[in-house]
Amino acid sequence: MSSEGQIKKEEYMKKFVELLETYPRAIMVTVDNIGSHHMQKIRAGLRGRAVILLGKNTLMRKAIKDQLANHPEWEAILPAIKNNVGFVFTKEDCSGLREKLLESRVPAQAKAGIFAPQDVIVPKQVTTLEPTKTSFFATLDIATKITRGCVEILNDVHLCKEGERVGSSEATLMQMLDLRPFTYGLKLTHVYDEGVVYNAKLLSATSEDLFKAFAAGVSNVAALSLGLNYPSLPAFPHVVLNAYKNLVAIALGTNYVFEQAKALKERVENPEAFAVAAPAAAAAAPAAAAAAPVEESSSEEEMDGFDLF
């Protein structure tokens, strides 16, 4: 029996290595709370486009470590192999396959003992439950009354909180009310693309997101360069600007003047002239606008003098 189990493990590791060598890309997914029938549908939907391989994390890690001499780039996969993980191998672009994988998520009833992926709030309503169920609501501290022979929930109830375990009573209540608040399916975690491993969230990133991330990186490099007094291309505009400020400060504090600081120095040394010039320019603008129609009317009178008849 032990020899048969060892043979199966070796066959599994051999298949895993063959898939890694055959397919240049793979999406790592978690398969929590997915039944066999649901997984069968997922495999059928991906037929011809991708291959799904599930198994034990220890065997996956061992298969990769045994091949690191031939494929050192596989070492980046090891930190991503955790929890109930599986691999979706493909030769297509991972961004296009992402939509197909997300379609596999379906609503399902909550199960006791699982961690709630989101908050569950039961709205106040008149249920279809019989009055004999009021004692069950009382155990959950839910205020109810009987309305037309049915149990009515008087207030909105925060039944489950995100990240907390779903209790057996909460799961039973959601089943009684036929609530399906959670969706189950493949959850994308990481992407392996020709030796590079990155977070699966980047598959949905837009060009605007990439630009923002790049701009933030350039700002960080510039700040680090300025703080360390180390020259770099991102910090060059800031260095030039700071140098210009220093030169202007020297020009204002001494008799030295250069062309770029001349106007600023004159403004600082003779602020009254600029204060008088500004209202004069503002008053001249309406006068010029009022004079424009007068010129137009005089030109029209001159044209009237050239009447052919």
Side-chain angles (χ1 to χ4, degrees), residues 181-226:
F182 306 145
T183 58
Y184 298 117
L186 299 178
K187 182 180 179 181
L188 285 60
T189 59
H190 295 82
V191 177
Y192 171 77
D193 193 346
E194 297 182 351
V196 179
V197 177
Y198 55 88
N199 196 299
K201 292 180 180 179
L202 295 178
L203 292 177
S204 59
T206 61
S207 56
E208 184 179 355
D209 296 331
L210 294 177
F211 178 78
K212 288 181 179 178
F214 180 77
V218 170
S219 299
N220 292 336
V221 171
L224 184 62
S225 299
L226 293 174

Side-chain angles (χ1 to χ4, degrees), residues 286-299:
V294 176
E295 268 185 18
E296 188 176 359
S297 62
S298 63
S299 63

Side-chain angles (χ1 to χ4, degrees), residues 222 226 230-249 258 260:
L226 293 174
Y230 183 82
S232 66
L233 187 59
F236 182 74
H238 302 279
V239 173
V240 173
L241 181 60
N242 291 337
Y244 173 73
K245 291 179 180 178
N246 293 335
L247 291 175
V248 170
F258 59 97
Q260 290 79 2

Side-chain angles (χ1 to χ4, degrees), residues 7-303:
I7 292 174
K8 289 182 178 180
K9 290 180 180 179
E10 292 177 356
E11 290 178 350
Y12 174 84
M13 290 189 293
K14 182 180 178 181
K15 181 179 180 181
F16 182 58
V17 171
E18 288 178 352
L19 289 173
L20 281 173
E21 292 177 338
T22 304
Y23 292 90
R25 302 174 189 87
I27 300 178
M28 283 160 267
V29 298
T30 55
V31 290
D32 296 326
N33 304 309
I34 300 179
S36 57
H37 183 64
H38 188 187
M39 181 57 68
Q40 186 179 1
K41 287 185 176 181
I42 295 174
R43 291 181 185 274
L46 295 175
R47 190 168 297 150
R49 300 183 60 185
V51 177
I52 299 179
L53 181 67
L54 307 176
K56 289 188 176 181
N57 297 353
T58 53
L59 295 180
M60 293 180 184
R61 292 194 188 97
K62 187 177 187 308
I64 291 175
K65 290 178 180 178
D66 291 343
Q67 296 294 323
L68 286 180
N70 300 324
H71 301 280
E73 69 276 9
W74 290 358
E75 187 175 4
I77 303 176
L78 292 174
I81 301 178
K82 56 184 178 181
N83 300 326
N84 194 11
V85 69
F87 283 75
V88 182
F89 296 95
T90 183
K91 294 182 179 179
E92 297 183 9
D93 181 62
C94 293
S95 299
L97 191 62
R98 170 183 174 274
E99 301 299 328
K100 186 64 178 178
L101 295 176
L102 293 180
E103 289 177 2
S104 65
R105 301 192 68 84
V106 295
Q109 290 183 341
K111 300 177 182 178
I114 67 170
F115 291 97
Q118 63 192 42
D119 290 346
V120 178
I121 298 177
V122 179
K124 57 182 180 181
Q125 58 181 301
V126 178
T127 68
T128 58
L129 301 177
E130 300 176 353
T132 55
K133 301 294 183 181
T134 53
S135 58
F136 180 79
F137 285 92
T139 58
L140 294 173
D141 293 329
I142 299 176
T144 59
K145 71 175 182 179
I146 306 302
T147 302
R148 297 178 182 177
C150 297
V151 177
E152 179 182 357
I153 300 176
L154 300 180
N155 303 304
D156 294 344
V157 180
H158 197 165
L159 196 62
C160 299
K161 294 183 179 180
E162 181 179 356
E164 295 184 359
R165 286 189 180 274
V166 179
S168 57
S169 299
E170 288 81 359
T172 303
L173 177 60
M174 284 186 276
Q175 292 175 8
M176 291 167 56
L177 297 176
D178 196 23
L179 295 178
R180 297 171 179 261
F182 306 145
T183 58
Y184 298 117
L186 299 178
K187 182 180 179 181
L188 285 60
T189 59
H190 295 82
V191 177
Y192 171 77
D193 193 346
E194 297 182 351
V196 179
V197 177
Y198 55 88
N199 196 299
K201 292 180 180 179
L202 295 178
L203 292 177
S204 59
T206 61
S207 56
E208 184 179 355
D209 296 331
L210 294 177
F211 178 78
K212 288 181 179 178
F214 180 77
V218 170
S219 299
N220 292 336
V221 171
L224 184 62
S225 299
L226 293 174
L228 298 176
N229 291 325
Y230 183 82
S232 66
L233 187 59
F236 182 74
H238 302 279
V239 173
V240 173
L241 181 60
N242 291 337
Y244 173 73
K245 291 179 180 178
N246 293 335
L247 291 175
V248 170
I250 293 173
L252 295 177
T254 63
N255 294 326
Y256 176 78
V257 180
F258 59 97
E259 188 63 30
Q260 290 79 2
K262 186 176 180 180
L264 184 59
K265 188 174 179 64
E266 291 177 354
R267 185 182 293 269
V268 173
E269 293 179 349
N270 191 10
E272 293 81 4
F274 289 92
V276 173
V294 176
E295 268 185 18
E296 188 176 359
S297 62
S298 63
S299 63
E300 289 177 359
E301 290 176 359
E302 290 176 2
M303 291 296 293

